[in-house]
Structure formats: structure tokens, C-alpha cells
Amino acid sequence: MTKHPEHTPHQVAPPPPTRCNCAALREAARYVTQLYDQHLAAAGLRSTQFSILARLKELGPTTINTLAHALVMDRTTLGRNILPLQRRRLIVVKRGENDARRKELHLTTAGQTRLAAGFDGWAKAQAEFEGTLGKERASQLRDLLRVVVGTEFAAEPDARA
């Protein structure tokens, strides 16, 4: 005897995307990324590349693991994202000064120049975003997103809750 679809156990449908926190955050991130990419294009950078260069300048020579942690990125994803920057000689990998086994990422002079060239586009994107959303709301959003990034999600719900 074959089962008909109407006789299979009822499956719970996933919540609509409008109620999914992850989907909403990813959609907003893609939307805002497009804005920044448009403004950074004149400098030959994408928003992710600009972020990598800016954070590397802030941190100074550092390992890929440290940079990945600072950017809240998976190490392998960061590795794929730095390859074009290496090919363009905007960053280089060198052995550590104090430990030759340690490989450090360094921002090159060309990388600093490209980062500086991208700053104007970044500032325009910031101004457009804040002009649309409002400075206060944009600031509140950044604060809230920092809280999200600082949250440690438990693998299992806490039994005490």
C-alpha cells in the first residue's frame, strides 16, 4: 500500500523569512554591502577588502587567526579573501620577527595607499547610510550589532533559564 502525501505526518513549516533573525541580518548585510561596494569601486576595493586592510592597519602585523577573530570571520573564508589582496601586493605574508614559525600578515605601502584611496568612498557610503537612516539610529544600530557580536550563543539552552 502506497502512502499519499496527505497521509504523511504533518511537518512544521519554517517561520517566514520576515520572522527569522538570521535571514533579516543577512539581507540587511547584503543590502548595506552593496552600498559600500558601489562607493569603494572607484578605489578598486570591495567592502570586505577595505575592512581587511583597515583592520590590518589598526592591528599591525598579525596572524591570520588573530585577524579572522577580529573580523568575526572563519579562518578559511579570510584566507580566500586575502588571496586577491596578496596578488595585488596590498598585503604580504612574512615570518614573525620573534618567532620564525609564526606567519604574519603585513599591510604594504601599496596597501596603505589603496586603503587611503578607499577612505573617501567609505566616508560617502557612511554619510549616505546615516543620511537615510539618521545618525542617531545608525549609532544605535552599530551599538546593538556590537552587542550581538559580543554575545556567546550556547549550543544548548541553559537549563536554569
Side-chain angles (χ1 to χ4, degrees):
M1 182 173 183
T2 60
K3 287 190 173 187
H4 296 284
E6 62 267 16
H7 296 296
T8 59
H10 178 67
Q11 292 184 346
V12 177
T18 56
R19 291 187 43 217
C20 177
N21 298 316
C22 185
L25 283 166
R26 291 178 63 90
E27 289 167 8
R30 285 190 295 271
Y31 188 72
V32 173
T33 297
Q34 291 170 8
L35 168 69
Y36 280 75
D37 283 348
Q38 288 170 4
H39 286 286
L40 289 166
L45 291 171
R46 295 185 57 87
S47 57
T48 303
Q49 295 170 330
F50 182 84
S51 296
I52 291 169
L53 296 176
R55 190 55 63 98
L56 191 52
K57 181 177 181 177
E58 176 189 332
L59 295 173
T62 191
T63 65
I64 193 167
N65 286 338
T66 301
L67 184 58
H69 180 74
L71 291 166
V72 192
M73 288 179 92
D74 179 82
R75 184 189 185 285
T76 6
T77 303
L78 178 59
R80 284 192 305 273
N81 278 280
I82 64 173
L83 289 175
L85 299 172
Q86 285 180 281
R87 282 193 297 268
R88 293 163 62 191
R89 293 185 163 63
L90 302 179
I91 61 172
V92 293
V93 179
K94 296 181 180 178
R95 296 203 181 275
E97 281 187 29
N98 300 328
D99 184 352
R101 297 170 296 177
R102 178 182 160 115
K103 292 181 183 178
E104 296 176 335
L105 300 172
H106 291 253
L107 186 61
T108 65
T109 303
Q112 291 176 10
T113 302
R114 186 61 58 103
L115 179 61
F119 185 76
D120 186 50
W122 173 85
K124 287 177 182 174
Q126 283 282 107
E128 186 175 336
F129 183 86
E130 289 182 355
T132 302
L133 198 62
K135 284 186 180 262
E136 181 65 26
R137 288 175 72 194
S139 176
Q140 291 170 347
L141 177 61
R142 286 190 303 273
D143 291 344
L144 184 56
L145 292 172
R146 278 192 281 281
V147 169
V148 170
V149 169
T151 302
E152 202 165 310
F153 295 106
E156 295 180 7
D158 189 342
R160 295 173 289 174

